[in-house]
Amino acid sequence: MGVSGELVPLGVFLLLAALFAVFGGYLLRRPERAAALFADRDARETFRPRDARAIGLVFTLGGLALLAVGAVRLVVTLTAG
């Protein structure tokens, strides 16, 4: 598998990591709407905006970390090929 064969999966990885981070940012910016999105009528406890912010932070940090890993991998792939 050459450089061109690695670019497409790496591009998809970077796209998904960016979407992961954007979704986390949405959860951080609009915790009330995000709590309503995750709400479940049958749950014992309600999904609170504080919970949405915590999950948003995890998604944002995880997405940014994955973007950093993907960017490093992209640079390594392009310089090696």
Side-chain angles (χ1 to χ4, degrees):
M1 187 184 236
V3 172
S4 62
E6 289 185 25
L7 289 180
V8 172
L10 191 53
V12 172
F13 177 82
L14 288 170
L15 176 67
L16 290 175
L19 289 174
F20 198 68
V22 167
F23 182 65
Y26 171 77
L27 294 177
L28 286 173
R29 289 184 57 89
R30 302 187 183 263
E32 292 83 16
R33 291 185 70 187
L37 175 71
F38 289 115
D40 184 12
R41 279 189 255 155
D42 299 332
R44 285 185 285 142
E45 295 183 24
T46 59
F47 197 85
R48 299 173 303 219
R50 188 183 76 171
D51 300 330
R53 280 192 295 273
I55 291 175
L57 184 63
V58 169
F59 270 74
T60 303
L61 292 177
L64 292 175
L66 290 174
L67 273 172
V69 168
V72 168
R73 178 71 180 151
L74 179 65
V75 168
V76 167
T77 301
L78 291 176
T79 56

